[in-house]
Amino acid sequence: MDADAEISRQSGRGHDDFLERVVAVLRAEGFTGKPSSDEPVVNFEHPEQLRARLRLGLGAAVEEDDELLELVRDVVRASVRTGSRHFYNQLYGGADPFGVAGAWITEALNTSQYTFEVAPAFTLVEHEVIRHCLNKVGFPDGDGIFTPGGSAANMYGMVAARYRAFPSVKTDGMRALPPLAVFTSEDSHYSVLKGAHWLGLGTSSVVKVATDAAGRMLPAALRDAVLQARRDGRHPLLVNATAGTTVLGAVDPLDQVADVCRDLGVWLHVDACWGGSLLLSPKHAARLAGLARADSVAWNPHKMLGAPLQCSLFLVRHAGLLHRCNAAAAEYLFQQDKFYDVSWDTGDKSVQCGRKVDAFKLWLMWKARGDAGLAALVDNAMECARYFRQLLLASDAFRLVSAEAQDCTNVCFWYIPKRLRGLTEDKGWWDQLATVAPAVKERMAQRGTLLVGYCPLPHKGHVNFFRMVTTCQPPPRPADMDRAAAEIQRLGELC
Amino acid sequence: MDADAEISRQSGRGHDDFLERVVAVLRAEGFTGKPSSDEPVVNFEHPEQLRARLRLGLGAAVEEDDELLELVRDVVRASVRTGSRHFYNQLYGGADPFGVAGAWITEALNTSQYTFEVAPAFTLVEHEVIRHCLNKVGFPDGDGIFTPGGSAANMYGMVAARYRAFPSVKTDGMRALPPLAVFTSEDSHYSVLKGAHWLGLGTSSVVKVATDAAGRMLPAALRDAVLQARRDGRHPLLVNATAGTTVLGAVDPLDQVADVCRDLGVWLHVDACWGGSLLLSPKHAARLAGLARADSVAWNPHKMLGAPLQCSLFLVRHAGLLHRCNAAAAEYLFQQDKFYDVSWDTGDKSVQCGRKVDAFKLWLMWKARGDAGLAALVDNAMECARYFRQLLLASDAFRLVSAEAQDCTNVCFWYIPKRLRGLTEDKGWWDQLATVAPAVKERMAQRGTLLVGYCPLPHKGHVNFFRMVTTCQPPPRPADMDRAAAEIQRLGELC
């Protein structure tokens, strides 16, 4: 085929009609409609088996639209239904359908968030979403930016704190600084460690602060750790408090942590990636009391709230800092002689250059549901988690990992098979219990009836336990909780 | 309304029917179909004016579906049509419709790329895309990961180089290392500076290497710079060569740069974010000769190739390094006692935790078009740029910034208004010429007839000039080039 004919062929393919066929496949396969209770949450196949079955190979072959749609059908059928009523496996679940609508729009419009010039409406949308979120957090004069995930948002916090304490770091690097120390609870997310590596602090600069049985940072231990670091000649750079730990869902006592930070002059960053959504609920926002005293906050609406991945915010109290810290003033992109008010070009606040539009989907969800609708969805997720916890408490088949009242929607528990009930709980007993969750998990996946995560918590001495998580989407119901508990019991007694 | 009724109401909204209405809006507004030549590329309004008109505010208000669709229509009409035949403003353009289809699917399926457990098919798809790209680059035994953009991919390169040279940096940080130096051309992207700040090297560790008139790094200057750094007691960590500079589109002489890196034992990272797509063209891949000798490569299929933003790859020659470098071995996510082969869980190679599925849209494009179809699209973009350049060369109304043959699809040029032609080209003349591009750009935006970027290049002594860029989507045609040149002339003579 000659070049012109080939281009004409390539130009003609894949537009509206194909997109509409793709939408029809998603609808037919149940990925966009109201959640059904019937479909398996996963049709599990082992990696090599699935790899042999899906026609994945890339190269010379060209697929016509009909075959492409077959491939699409195969891939979606082999995917996990995170929007199923039986998916409680991660700190995210299904996507809010208004969020999906917003995401489809931004994907079709395909632009970058860096300048008003190429993203006029989306720049204003991002500004409005950030403004509204700053008010919710309590930083009315602050600033913020959407980032590609919570780990990046936590890095933004460390970079901002470092730059504020030592502006010379931007030019001169870490070698010119005293040794630094970053404080985070032993239950906090590993992104603090990854960030410490990337940012050149090193993981040994991360001081793990002890937590109580529920996983909440002990403020007295934090104070001791900061003072000890000072005595050791280390500069206490940042305290990373967590609002919603990954496993136990604990919210650190933010007010008391903020007291320590105020007394000792340390930047307070709150990793509220998971628990930040509680702010939207008048009923539960009090769990985050003290958040407004932080210097910076990370929050992922793509977790509990159900905005499609990725949707992650970094918010900072100090106006102007983000730009001063991160700007490189590239003249090819951020020309100062443009004809409009270039203070609307937000890209130089970011460590990224091209930046996906992540604000619009959240804006559309908020427009559709309003503050009260989002609050109701958060309350419902919390209420179902509470209900599930009560179910477990009422049964000798389950044991909660922590008896404390829960802060987020995580419910962590062991299933105790009948054969282990009533026996002496010695090391051998716990060793046996440790094998239950992985075995039940395998059965869940093989049968496709339920997905719930499990893990150990070695620093608390806990062997493998289940972590059940409810989110806003699809809105869970008490009957779903009954079914999940019953299914774990059923699978736990098989074999 | 009581809580149950509110949840029932929230649960019932926004599913298939709403999505289909959104798709219809996108179709009706011309954002998903074949590109038309008639629609303005932008309906420009100044920020405050647009802000006053769009109903952006978030809060208590709730919009019903009809109003939401009105808001959507307002936002898309106020957005730039990057898929227009008159958009040549950035290093990206329209989205490949198969890429949009892929993006819509992953948005609807809403999962994270970190484990096979929650992304079985997408894990295998990412693996296949990376495998195919590694073969194209010439790292058959290498490894790779999708990252949220080119700046992040370039940081991955610096982090990998640093870890390989000094594994202790992961725990001990930058203070334990000798002073480092990173080498990059004076025409390279600012992400190297931003990365040096974030990663704790400091921007003063970045040594800018001189380029020729076309913007290509001078290998002899690189060699001198590396040797000088050594004499100054700095450890040469990494050379960042560029395959496709941001403004001029220059490809550094990779083979000669690789010789320097081999001779002096320095990690070679190639920022091929822009030019990497040339690899897909048998006709143009030779421009990247030497790429296979690099240690690592960054490539953004969301640029020239038209995958929807974000789609960015980091590829590295050294197997196993990504995991060793970045792993934190979080037990809640990467359990080693899972029932399937957990070597398929790729998340711990990443600095991110949750990671958007960016591979599938590229995979679908590749399946639809095959190697040859993608090559034809790249060739067409290059051919149209060559045609545009010839147009300018044939006219005294235009002057090219560099007479050298171009490496990528960037065509950089001044428009010389009639009133300035034939005069002495003294400082006053250049000062006047500097005002032409911003003035023409304002007219382009106000009229919506064309969008082409402009910038100065101070280190080359160049005042504001236009940077015209063609990409694969929508496939440009010679007639579009004729029109663009004519429109710049027309606008340049107004007022």
Side-chain angles (χ1 to χ4, degrees), chain B residues 21-323:
Chain B
R21 292 180 72 188
V22 164
V23 171
V25 168
L26 290 171
R27 179 169 199 153
E29 299 295 324
F31 280 92
T32 51
K34 291 183 195 164
S36 115
S37 291
D38 306 331
E39 274 153 345
V41 59
V42 60
N43 298 302
F44 184 83
E45 290 175 82
H46 279 284
E48 290 297 351
Q49 183 185 355
L50 183 59
R51 194 181 179 200
R53 190 172 64 77
L54 295 176
R55 288 159 295 153
L56 295 167
L58 298 177
V62 170
E63 308 289 344
E64 294 306 324
D65 289 4
D66 288 349
E67 288 90 63
L68 274 183
L69 289 165
E70 276 306 311
L71 290 173
V72 163
R73 204 171 281 119
D74 289 347
V75 164
V76 304
R77 287 180 180 171
S79 292
V80 169
R81 290 180 188 274
T82 63
S84 159
R85 295 204 171 279
H86 316 311
F87 182 86
Y88 306 102
N89 203 71
Q90 309 293 144
L91 299 187
Y92 63 88
D96 187 307
F98 292 110
V100 174
W104 285 13
I105 293 163
T106 50
E107 295 290 344
L109 268 60
N110 194 48
T111 196
S112 171
Q113 189 74 280
Y114 42 41
T115 62
F116 180 85
E117 178 176 333
V118 293
F122 294 138
T123 296
L124 300 175
V125 163
E126 185 180 52
H127 183 269
E128 173 60 20
V129 174
I130 288 172
R131 195 195 61 74
H132 197 53
C133 293
L134 286 168
N135 284 333
K136 295 270 175 208
V137 166
F139 300 165
D141 303 318
D143 199 356
I145 197 153
F146 276 81
T147 80
S151 299
N154 288 337
M155 281 203 277
Y156 267 97
M158 279 195 253
V159 168
R162 185 175 67 178
Y163 177 77
R164 189 148 190 264
F166 305 102
S168 68
V169 72
K170 189 167 175 179
T171 49
D172 301 345
M174 291 287 296
R175 293 188 81 258
L177 307 191
L180 304 180
V182 168
F183 305 84
T184 193
S185 91
E186 55 187 6
D187 281 60
S188 68
H189 190 255
Y190 68 78
S191 55
V192 178
L193 288 169
K194 290 205 179 192
H197 166 213
W198 270 50
L199 304 178
L201 287 76
T203 55
S204 65
S205 69
V206 178
V207 179
K208 292 284 184 78
V209 180
T211 55
D212 66 16
R216 300 174 189 130
M217 185 189 276
L218 295 169
L222 172 65
R223 188 180 297 267
D224 290 347
V226 173
L227 293 171
Q228 183 61 48
R230 283 232 172 102
R231 283 192 297 273
D232 295 342
R234 300 205 278 174
H235 177 93
L237 182 70
L238 171 142
V239 170
N240 175 71
T242 309
T245 59
T246 311
V247 176
L248 298 176
V251 175
D252 290 342
L254 300 180
D255 243 332
Q256 295 171 67
V257 170
D259 287 345
V260 174
C261 290
R262 177 202 57 206
D263 293 350
L264 302 179
V266 187
W267 180 289
L268 174 56
H269 174 75
V270 181
D271 174 353
C273 285
W274 171 231
S277 296
L278 298 182
L279 266 185
L280 305 186
S281 156
K283 189 169 169 186
H284 296 292
R287 290 172 192 266
L288 304 184
L291 184 67
R293 298 172 62 196
D295 293 284
S296 58
V297 172
W299 172 43
N300 287 0
H302 72 223
K303 290 195 157 77
M304 194 184 296
L305 209 57
L309 268 144
Q310 60 194 41
C311 189
S312 180
L313 271 159
F314 174 71
L315 302 170
V316 58
R317 159 189 307 288
H318 312 281
L321 182 64
L322 259 183
H323 190 272

Side-chain angles (χ1 to χ4, degrees), chain A residues 328-350:
Chain A
E331 280 163 307
Y332 81 90
L333 190 57
F334 305 114
Q335 305 94 323
Q336 296 303 300
D337 55 2
K338 287 197 275 198
F339 68 98
Y340 63 82
D341 175 2
V342 294
S343 70
W344 286 96
D345 289 352
T346 57
D348 220 10
K349 290 189 214 175
S350 171

Side-chain angles (χ1 to χ4, degrees), chain A residues 376 380 383 475-478, chain B residues 1-11:
Chain A
N380 179 65
E383 173 56 25
R477 305 166 302 192
Chain B
M1 202 181 317
D2 78 359
D4 286 352
E6 175 67 18
I7 282 300
S8 165
R9 197 183 104 76
Q10 296 297 339
S11 303

Side-chain angles (χ1 to χ4, degrees), chain A residues 16 32 117 335 441 454, chain B residues 16 32 117 335 337 441 454:
Chain A
D16 289 323
T32 51
E117 178 175 334
Q335 305 94 323
K441 179 64 178 270
Y454 77 88
Chain B
D16 288 323
T32 51
E117 178 176 333
Q335 306 93 323
D337 55 2
K441 179 63 177 273
Y454 79 86

